[in-house]
Amino acid sequence: MLTLLARLGEATLGLLAYLGRLGLFLLQAVVYVFTPPLKVGRVVRQIHFIGARSLLVIALTGLFTGMVLGLQGYYTLSRYGSEAFLGSAVALSLITELGPVLSALMVTGRAGSALTSEIGIMRITEQIDALEVMALNPIRYLVVPNLLAGVLVMPLLAALFDVVGIYGGFLVGVELLGLSSGTYFSSMTEAVTFADIKTGLYKSLSFGLIMSLICCFKGYHAGFGAAGVSRATTDAVVFSSVSVLVLDYFLNSVLL
Amino acid sequence: MSAELPIIQAQQLRKCFGPQVVLDGLSLEVRRGEILAIVGRSGTGKSVLLKHLIGLLAPDSGRVLVAGEDIHRARGRHLERLRERFGMLFQGGALFDSLTVEENVAFPLREKTRMTAAQIREAVHHCLKGVGLEGVEHKYPAQLSGGMRKRVALARALVRQPEIVLFDEPTTGLDPILVRAMHQLIFDTHVQFGYTAVIVSHEIPQIFEIASRVAMLHEGTIIAIDTPEGFQRSPNPVVQQFITGSLEGPLEPV
């Protein structure tokens, strides 16, 4: 009983210490965002890497998510004779929920894992130490550009996901199942309010931050050797995906 | 600042990693303009000591004075100014693998000085020539041999003309001829650029040819420090066994 209690306490303390380190890491990075010089070139490079190179995968997942929503939504709604609401159902679920969450998960898998392994390899090959020795701050060089890029890019990717998804719903609902396109879009413009769009925006902003924060943190503190980097990468993907989903729940309870 | 003042003074350094005591009250002085070699068995904390000298690792207690200033207490701009006195050659070179050779060597200049592109190119070529590398400017580190990579790393360490250069096993993984060539290169650049060198090395006896003094790190402290001749005559059985590489003696082959 006592050992169980001790173990529980140990785990809690470990978790708190970990969250503390993550918070300090974020704080440091935020300080460097606002103290010049900002490495604009590296920010642009990371925007290209995290954002531009995720376009295809986001468009593809968005399209199929929208198509599934269109199909499922149509059959469910037609049971109650309300297929006219298909447009609003598809749009609302994409904009407030699926767009931000799924695009964050896809970007974590595609770009987050690469961030962690890149920074982790720089750690184990002493490239991060080399930066420090040159009196260059590694957080400014490696972490800040990724955090900024993550925060800037994620809402845009989520927006793209939403648009392509809505078009996917249109393809299935209108082109395939014969709903009129006027009904599809008019129900959408009536149902979707600016508050819904803001919900989606806040979500993807926070997901962008949490994804790049966790991935950079894990890489920065990678263990030794190839095994250390591979474990850091796995951890980064798992932790950021789980955090995105957990955060999504809490944001929902606050924002809705 | 008087010329007699040691450029680096490590005082009573103590560092533990978990239960393992790596540095145990170690004190060491590096004199301006010398080549100090630090030898010792693998895993005795030579690299850890080097990282303490430049402030990459902080001691649990004790301090390191660089030109009289405590590097572990320095923060921000002050720390940057102290770090700018140093160049460091890492064990694996630590070249940025996404940049070409030229970009690697130019990196510290581009980031930390206001030199023009033409001046930077000039300085980079001068340094690469100084380490005997020409015509590889546009290759990536992965396309170079181990020996060439270390030369590039040396060029990068020297490009800002530091006062002190730390070498973390500069010859590990090189063949005997390259070891000699690397030592010669360190000696030549030492003369040419006039830096103080601290070299962590396993190369016994070749290191005696270039070192001004040799220090042996054993069980967390410096057990002997002397000129190469004096060091080789040391009565300390640990030093003697280490130099001869004998299996018999106080050191256990682990």
Side-chain angles (χ1 to χ4, degrees):
Chain A
M1 183 63 199
L2 210 61
T3 52
L4 192 74
L5 214 60
R7 225 177 275 165
L8 186 70
E10 213 170 280
T12 316
L13 285 179
L15 182 71
L16 284 178
Y18 181 81
L19 288 177
R21 270 185 292 150
L22 194 66
L24 283 178
F25 190 75
L26 175 64
L27 194 70
Q28 253 181 308
V30 170
V31 168
Y32 288 123
V33 170
F34 294 107
T35 49
L38 183 65
K39 297 289 149 194
V40 179
R42 291 196 57 91
V43 177
V44 172
R45 207 192 96 178
Q46 291 314 106
I47 287 178
H48 176 251
F49 178 72
I50 302 177
R53 298 198 25 206
S54 303
L55 285 177
L56 186 68
V57 72
I58 291 294
L60 213 59
T61 40
L63 181 70
F64 280 96
T65 307
M67 285 166 69
V68 169
L69 281 176
L71 200 63
Q72 288 277 5
Y74 185 87
Y75 285 118
T76 313
L77 289 170
S78 66
R79 268 192 237 167
Y80 308 101
S82 40
E83 35 311 9
F85 293 111
L86 181 66
S88 56
V90 169
L92 278 177
S93 37
L94 278 171
I95 289 169
T96 59
E97 196 59 48
L98 292 173
V101 171
L102 287 182
S103 53
L105 294 181
M106 294 314 292
V107 172
T108 303
R110 200 207 66 82
S113 55
L115 291 186
T116 308
S117 55
E118 190 185 344
I119 296 178
I121 286 172
M122 292 188 74
R123 164 63 72 198
I124 64 163
T125 56
E126 298 184 313
Q127 293 178 48
I128 292 183
D129 289 337
L131 278 174
E132 273 200 57
V133 168
M134 292 176 201
L136 296 168
N137 188 305
I139 296 210
R140 191 192 291 290
Y141 270 79
L142 300 173
V143 179
V144 167
N146 282 317
L147 281 192
L148 278 181
V151 171
L152 290 174
V153 143
M154 201 65 96
L156 295 175
L157 288 175
L160 177 79
F161 192 100
D162 296 344
V163 171
V164 176
I166 287 169
Y167 184 69
F170 173 85
L171 275 183
V172 171
V174 177
E175 300 288 339
L176 203 67
L177 299 172
L179 198 72
S180 94
S181 80
T183 322
Y184 184 76
F185 284 113
S186 68
S187 78
M188 199 180 296
T189 45
E190 274 162 34
V192 177
T193 62
F194 191 61
D196 298 321
I197 294 175
K198 270 203 294 194
T199 302
L201 181 69
Y202 291 147
K203 280 187 179 178
S204 50
L205 281 174
S206 15
F207 296 162
L209 181 69
I210 201 91
M211 183 281 292
S212 41
L213 175 67
I214 291 180
C215 291
C216 289
F217 181 80
K218 281 286 167 193
Y220 202 80
H221 294 107
F224 300 101
V229 176
S230 77
R231 199 174 53 235
T233 310
T234 314
D235 284 357
V237 172
V238 172
F239 286 171
S240 31
S241 307
V242 171
S243 317
V244 162
L245 293 171
V246 172
L247 191 64
D248 184 46
Y249 174 80
F250 287 107
L251 285 174
N252 268 335
S253 56
V254 175
L255 293 170
L256 284 186
Chain B
M1 201 102 357
S2 77
E4 284 79 40
L5 187 75
I7 191 157
I8 303 178
Q9 293 164 283
Q11 298 171 337
Q12 295 295 321
L13 290 182
R14 194 181 156 80
K15 178 74 175 179
C16 308
F17 291 117
Q20 192 194 357
V21 180
V22 181
L23 302 180
D24 191 5
L26 179 146
S27 295
L28 178 69
E29 292 191 342
V30 182
R31 296 175 189 158
R32 200 177 286 269
E34 72 171 343
I35 297 183
L36 174 66
I38 299 173
V39 300
R41 304 191 66 197
S42 306
T44 47
K46 300 189 296 296
S47 299
V48 171
L49 171 60
L50 218 52
K51 287 185 177 173
H52 276 81
L53 296 185
I54 197 171
L56 280 175
L57 289 174
D60 298 338
S61 64
R63 57 183 191 161
V64 173
L65 302 180
V66 176
E69 297 185 76
D70 189 338
I71 194 164
H72 295 108
R73 291 200 154 182
R75 294 279 176 274
R77 295 258 180 274
H78 186 196
L79 178 63
E80 276 190 27
R81 266 208 343 271
L82 284 178
R83 286 259 172 84
E84 280 168 6
R85 291 165 167 253
F86 283 92
M88 182 160 179
L89 182 66
F90 287 91
Q91 219 170 94
L95 295 172
F96 301 122
D97 36 28
S98 56
L99 303 179
T100 64
V101 166
E102 186 175 19
E103 289 166 337
N104 259 291
V105 180
F107 192 82
L109 296 178
R110 279 199 191 138
E111 296 295 338
K112 298 299 284 188
T113 68
R114 289 167 188 273
M115 291 166 73
T116 64
Q119 288 172 319
I120 289 178
R121 197 169 316 124
E122 175 86 3
V124 167
H125 282 249
H126 176 70
C127 261
L128 283 173
K129 207 171 157 193
V131 299
L133 279 181
E134 277 167 294
V136 296
E137 286 87 347
H138 301 294
K139 289 197 171 172
Y140 285 90
Q143 296 170 297
L144 302 177
S145 70
M148 285 164 110
R149 239 176 280 163
K150 296 214 165 165
R151 280 164 186 258
V152 176
L154 179 58
R156 188 179 67 181
L158 296 180
V159 75
R160 293 200 65 201
Q161 313 210 335
E163 290 173 60
I164 312 157
V165 182
L166 307 181
F167 296 85
D168 192 0
E169 302 194 10
T171 51
T172 302
L174 301 183
D175 69 47
I177 295 163
L178 280 176
V179 168
R180 234 278 134 90
M182 190 72 195
H183 281 165
Q184 191 61 49
L185 186 63
I186 292 173
F187 191 76
D188 290 347
T189 51
H190 164 75
V191 172
Q192 188 189 344
F193 293 85
Y195 56 77
T196 304
V198 181
I199 308 176
V200 161
S201 181
H202 284 295
E203 306 295 347
I204 303 280
Q206 292 92 325
I207 195 70
F208 295 142
E209 294 168 12
I210 60 163
S212 327
R213 291 193 301 156
V214 182
M216 178 153 177
L217 179 61
H218 181 64
E219 292 179 343
T221 54
I222 300 290
I223 55 162
I225 179 163
D226 207 338
T227 60
E229 298 73 34
F231 185 81
Q232 291 176 77
R233 285 198 303 270
S234 165
N236 189 322
V238 175
V239 173
Q240 281 308 322
Q241 190 196 351
F242 184 73
I243 293 175
T244 54
S246 162
L247 290 177
E248 309 287 323
L251 298 172
E252 304 259 325
V254 184

